[in-house]
Amino acid sequence: MHHLYSSLFKRPFLWFVILLAFLCTGQPKAIGQTNTKGIDFFSGVDFNFRDINYKTQYEFLIRLSPGFKWSFGDHWQISGQVFIPIVNQYGNSYKYVHLNIFDLSKELRLGSLYLKASAGLFSSSRYGLDLKAFLPLCDWFAFEGQAGVIGSVYMTPYWEIVAPNRFVGTIGGDFYLPRWNTQFRGTIGKYIYNDFGFEMEIMRHFNHATASIYGRWNNYDKFDAGFRFVIALPPYQRKHRMVNFRPASNFRISYTVMYHQYTNRMYRTDPEENERDGWFSRDFLQWGSHTMEPDFRIIEMNKKAKGDKE
Amino acid sequence: MKHFNIIIVLLLLWVLPNNSKAQQYTGTSGLIHIPSAEMHHEGDALIGAHFLNKNMMPDIGFLYNGEKYNTFDYYVGLTPFSWLELSYVCTERIRSKDSQGNIKWSKDRYASVKIQPLKEGKYYPAVAIGCNDVWTAAFYKDRPNVQLYYMNLYIAATKHFIFSNNELGVTLSYRHFYRDYNSKWNGIVAGITFRPAFFPQARLIAEYTGNEFLLGMDMLLWQHVRLQASMKNFKYVNAGLCLQFNLLGKKYLY
């Protein structure tokens, strides 16, 4: 038995086979909610700055982040994002236009368990398989977890690819206080650079923005802390057709006191993933900030056109 | 020329018209250099910068070739709840100068927390407690080589009196800086504010910091631009500007 356990842990890919098998067997019971079909093209700005030497005030890395999301029903989605450097003071490895995200994902529900499986290229130069789970127990408490089998791919002119050989994951819980639109999130995990740690975040959700402070610990760099803003970008009223062009849904900026670049880090599987909205789409999971007034009022032009004809 | 600074401040006070209640250079509410028990509105977010006259700076840490220098800071601030304010401040320090006079800067960074456990009532004042440089206070204060230029703890009480729609505010605070080099600002500090009925967006301030007197004024323009200008001992000007947004979408006259 001991041998079985150790071989499982040494071969993280097996974990994913088991998870996928679980998903496949559960699929007939899945309750899907039809999301709106269409393809969205959008662009935002990836804004980074750091203060790590005395030669300059700050070093900046500003990149355009155009992307797309193609939803083809029943919460299947293909998404992609490219980073185009505009200002780069971070060094040569950041000067290239490169693909940041390109993956296929599917949201599904098994009873009260919400799942999102993704496969492809993720952010932070990682690729592989990822499964996110969210289990709301009541309006104010939920468990969450994420697991992935990942390899790394660096798309500089000299491509560097490492096969998926790393098992990463986080598990934790979320408290949400509806009266104050305040969320407490705590997770422990094994992160993409093989470090272990935990993170606590307190989020205050406002009308179109979320502000949070967080503290975290890991076995390499120890303590760090910072704050974060996620701002939903206007226009807040949008028309939705089969093909849409729009600004990015949000601008996210995160500040860390200690600049621990290689610890407590996970990848993202969605170009617009952020702490305000969580992992799941709003029409799929109504919990936490998704119970607030929506940031965007979407007018469905396809349905309207059909309605006109009828 | 002697009164040039006074003229500038008076012009600013006269020309710039909305509410302010900020110890603005720290990104939190207060008077000029002393804390008060007033709070920003719930949901207020601030981002701004402040020119700091060398006479407002701590006696060590902001010296170059043995002399103090004028500098500036910049900050973000947030009032997530009506009883809690948070801010994060970077104050620029001269690290070196080359032969052409080009300056290389470094930063002193600190986070501030302010909590108001008691809101102002008809017969009793608001009470707030707070701390500047919370991170260092929590983890490094016992290390003698770690400088705590701005680290202080305070408790403040503020009461407002209304007469003919004018508002008079009285603040009494007790403040304690952790390091001896700022001890001149320790102990009881006090200030008064006056908000005229004909122009409630503006606020006149007079305060005693424990070591010097300051006079100043602050206001909020177009509900989003907050300004503060002040003078220490009628000579040394400090001034700052910040952008203010209410993330709950509320609008306030002051």
Side-chain angles (χ1 to χ4, degrees), chain A residues 57-58 182 204 207 211 255, chain B residues 42 74 80 92 107 109 248:
Chain A
Q57 269 280 8
Y58 287 104
T182 299
R204 173 72 163 98
N207 288 5
Y255 183 92
Chain B
E42 182 177 9
Y74 44 95
E92 290 292 323
K107 299 164 201 70
R109 303 180 292 174
L248 292 169

Side-chain angles (χ1 to χ4, degrees), chain B:
Chain B
M1 272 319 272
K2 190 179 171 186
H3 302 296
F4 183 68
N5 290 342
I6 298 175
I7 292 167
I8 286 180
V9 170
L10 289 174
L11 276 173
L12 282 171
L13 303 186
W14 186 73
V15 170
L16 307 173
N18 253 312
N19 159 46
S20 202
K21 37 193 171 187
Q23 192 183 359
Q24 193 164 315
Y25 78 97
T26 66
T28 58
S29 57
L31 301 186
I32 300 165
H33 198 230
I34 71 168
S36 73
E38 296 168 310
M39 303 291 280
H40 289 307
H41 300 289
E42 182 177 9
D44 279 354
L46 315 171
I47 180 166
H50 210 96
F51 167 76
L52 298 168
N53 193 288
K54 59 187 175 185
N55 291 282
M56 277 276 283
M57 302 306 291
D59 287 340
I60 71 161
F62 295 86
L63 300 172
Y64 189 73
N65 288 338
E67 289 187 8
K68 283 186 167 185
Y69 51 84
N70 299 329
T71 184
F72 65 100
D73 71 4
Y74 44 95
Y75 50 83
V76 291
L78 181 72
T79 309
F81 306 102
S82 61
W83 48 270
L84 176 67
E85 283 183 13
L86 305 168
S87 73
Y88 190 76
V89 187
C90 292
T91 309
E92 290 292 323
R93 301 170 63 196
I94 294 177
R95 183 169 178 82
S96 64
K97 279 184 188 175
D98 62 19
S99 54
Q100 279 83 43
N102 297 319
I103 297 172
K104 285 184 178 170
W105 298 91
S106 64
K107 299 164 201 70
D108 177 70
R109 303 180 292 174
Y110 63 92
S112 299
V113 174
K114 183 177 179 182
I115 296 168
Q116 188 193 52
L118 183 67
K119 290 187 189 301
E120 186 175 342
K122 191 174 179 183
Y123 301 110
Y124 54 86
V127 174
I129 54 174
C131 178
N132 280 352
D133 210 351
V134 181
W135 176 266
T136 318
F139 296 105
Y140 301 109
K141 72 179 187 325
D142 294 327
R143 296 186 192 175
N145 58 333
V146 174
Q147 300 300 335
L148 306 169
Y149 304 122
Y150 286 97
M151 199 215 132
N152 65 83
L153 300 161
Y154 60 83
I155 179 166
T158 299
K159 182 84 184 85
H160 295 93
F161 302 94
I162 308 292
F163 56 94
S164 305
N165 290 329
N166 298 292
E167 181 192 87
L168 179 71
V170 179
T171 292
L172 191 65
S173 307
Y174 179 80
R175 176 166 63 179
H176 177 71
F177 278 85
Y178 198 78
R179 291 284 195 255
D180 289 342
Y181 44 75
N182 285 325
S183 59
K184 63 184 178 184
W185 292 319
N186 280 349
I188 302 287
V189 295
I192 55 171
T193 60
F194 178 72
R195 192 183 302 282
F198 66 90
F199 191 49
Q201 297 92 335
R203 185 179 71 154
L204 293 160
I205 307 165
E207 68 178 32
Y208 177 65
T209 66
N211 187 58
E212 62 267 314
F213 287 96
L214 279 91
L215 279 174
M217 187 175 181
D218 51 20
M219 60 192 69
L220 188 69
L221 285 170
W222 310 298
Q223 297 186 330
H224 292 300
V225 180
R226 183 187 291 278
L227 295 141
Q228 186 179 74
S230 64
M231 276 191 308
K232 176 183 165 184
N233 295 337
F234 297 99
K235 285 182 187 172
Y236 309 112
V237 174
N238 302 281
L241 180 149
C242 78
L243 299 177
Q244 175 176 319
F245 302 93
N246 189 277
L247 301 178
L248 292 169
K250 294 180 179 172
K251 293 179 179 177
Y252 296 99
L253 181 62
Y254 62 88

Side-chain angles (χ1 to χ4, degrees), chain A residues 44-50 58-66 82-91 94-97 251 253:
Chain A
V45 173
D46 175 56
F47 180 81
N48 306 274
F49 67 98
R50 66 186 183 190
Y58 287 104
E59 293 171 319
F60 291 94
L61 174 66
I62 303 171
R63 300 180 286 198
L64 270 183
S65 54
V82 174
F83 275 161
I84 304 170
I86 301 169
V87 175
N88 173 29
Q89 297 171 332
Y90 274 35
Y94 293 91
K95 72 180 182 185
Y96 303 103
V97 174
F251 176 75
I253 190 160

